[in-house]
Amino acid sequence: GQQVMQIPQYQHVQEGEDFTTYCNSSTTLSNIQWYKQRPGGHPVFLIQLVKSGEVKKQKRLTFQFGEAKKNSSLHITATQTTDVGTYFCAGPNTNAGKSTFGDGTTLTVKP
Amino acid sequence: GAVVSQHPSRVICKSGTSVKIECRSLDFQATTMFWYRQFPKKSLMLMATSNEGSKATYEQGVEKDKFLINHASLTLSTLTVTSAHPEDSSFYICSGQGADTGELFFGEGSRLTVL
């Protein structure tokens, strides 16, 4: 079945450092979504990428969708303590309506 | 964005009892809702897809008789954990899917502890 893998599993950074998480799918995706889950909270939608090679920015966050639409990345510039949480990518399953989530990357930021 | 309300947020129960978790879409109609289970420091594991007016579709390995799902209206889906055991203790989250973009709107989650 479809697999969505994310690396790294954990990332500890000093405040101000950059952070990147990578997402790889075993199958080509029609789109990819990114979610953030704060400690003790629930996942919150960040963005959806649809086009091959697409790059979208949200302030200090940059999202990329690979040319082959099988991988994606999320890059945070100059991390802040408010960036702490687990970042998940999700791709639609071959069965309509379902999404397969990556294992997530948990970011901790040291002040 | 759309709002999905889930309750209770926390529940503690004794082994053998049943627990019902509700998930409501407050400002949109969700013909499909998803139920997940999340273990500490782990990803979201899809348990089942809840379809309004029809039977839920369960993922492989999920016992449908243990995790009863009902989606009686376009705004309400419920998950009932029957005859709960300590190993059922977990964080359960629901989500509804936006019709336009397909993004998932998650409930706040329910932390179940079975003693």
Side-chain angles (χ1 to χ4, degrees), chain B:
Chain B
V3 178
V4 174
S5 176
Q6 184 177 343
H7 72 90
S9 57
R10 292 178 185 274
V11 58
I12 300 173
C13 69
K14 294 181 179 180
S15 285
T17 60
S18 294
V19 174
K20 180 185 282 189
I21 300 170
E22 292 189 351
C23 186
R24 293 180 184 272
S25 56
L26 299 184
D27 53 358
F28 71 106
Q29 293 183 332
T31 54
T32 300
M33 299 192 89
F34 302 98
W35 286 94
Y36 306 83
R37 184 173 179 176
Q38 188 176 35
F39 293 100
K41 300 186 186 297
K42 296 295 183 182
S43 187
L44 299 157
M45 183 189 80
L46 179 65
M47 299 175 65
T49 302
S50 169
N51 302 297
E52 187 266 336
S54 64
K55 291 183 178 181
T57 304
Y58 289 81
E59 294 301 301
Q60 192 173 10
V62 178
E63 298 177 61
K64 62 180 181 180
D65 294 330
K66 180 165 186 62
F67 298 100
L68 300 179
I69 290 173
N70 185 276
H71 196 154
S73 75
L74 287 172
T75 59
L76 174 63
S77 177
T78 61
L79 166 68
T80 301
V81 183
T82 62
S83 187
H85 291 147
E87 56 264 32
D88 298 326
S89 298
S90 192
F91 190 55
Y92 293 89
I93 317 178
C94 65
S95 73
Q97 189 163 42
D100 295 334
T101 62
E103 71 180 86
L104 297 171
F105 301 100
F106 286 86
E108 301 94 335
S110 300
R111 188 163 301 283
L112 170 64
T113 302
V114 183
L115 303 177

